[in-house]
Amino acid sequence: MKIGELSKATGVSIRSLRYYEKQGLIAPARTESGYREYHKFAVEQVKTIRLYLNLGLSTEQIAGFLHCVLLNKEAFCNEVLPVYQQKLKEIDEQIQTLARIRSNLDERIQSILSERIDNESMEGTNDES
């Protein structure tokens, strides 16, 4: 199958498919005229790549275990679990950072609103005199 057919079959852009090839995630054969020729197995391969990208993994991380998971279940690929654990650690750290930022923003909003209320009540007191 040609690159356009693979793109339609997977919903992945031709540009992304070329990127996956450059990253070593997929490897099409080449015809005599230089066109990429993908095996029908490439559809499953690209869907698997998308699954891992949607988990937030990088193409480098995926390349480290893709061949194994295409041939076996994840549980039998020793490279997968450490990558998942590292990604989960990164996500937990990001959540903590975002929680701190959220708390700081909430404090700033409350401070601004409090100052406005104080200012309005003082203006109201000045208007009465």
Side-chain angles (χ1 to χ4, degrees), residues 49-124:
I49 293 166
R50 296 300 304 163
L51 167 84
Y52 290 121
L53 289 171
N54 288 334
L55 289 175
L57 303 181
S58 70
T59 55
E60 288 176 347
Q61 290 170 316
I62 296 166
F65 60 77
L66 182 63
H67 183 73
C68 182
V69 297
L70 290 171
L71 298 174
N72 307 288
K73 290 186 172 195
E74 279 183 334
F76 300 112
C77 298
N78 294 330
E79 305 88 352
V80 175
L81 189 58
V83 172
Y84 280 2
Q85 290 170 327
Q86 178 60 37
K87 187 63 182 177
L88 195 57
K89 181 181 174 193
E90 290 171 14
I91 290 170
D92 287 341
E93 290 169 359
Q94 290 172 339
I95 289 170
Q96 290 174 358
T97 298
L98 289 171
R100 280 193 302 274
I101 292 169
R102 186 184 195 293
S103 176
N104 290 339
L105 283 170
D106 191 42
E107 286 176 22
R108 296 304 313 139
I109 290 169
Q110 293 309 315
S111 174
I112 290 169
L113 292 174
S114 177
E115 280 188 51
R116 285 183 180 177
I117 290 170
D118 290 348
N119 191 36
E120 289 172 2
S121 64
M122 290 185 69
E123 286 177 0

Side-chain angles (χ1 to χ4, degrees), residues 2-3 28-38:
K2 301 278 188 266
I3 195 167
R30 293 283 184 159
T31 64
E32 285 183 21
S33 55
Y35 290 103
R36 291 169 175 86
E37 187 68 37
Y38 294 91

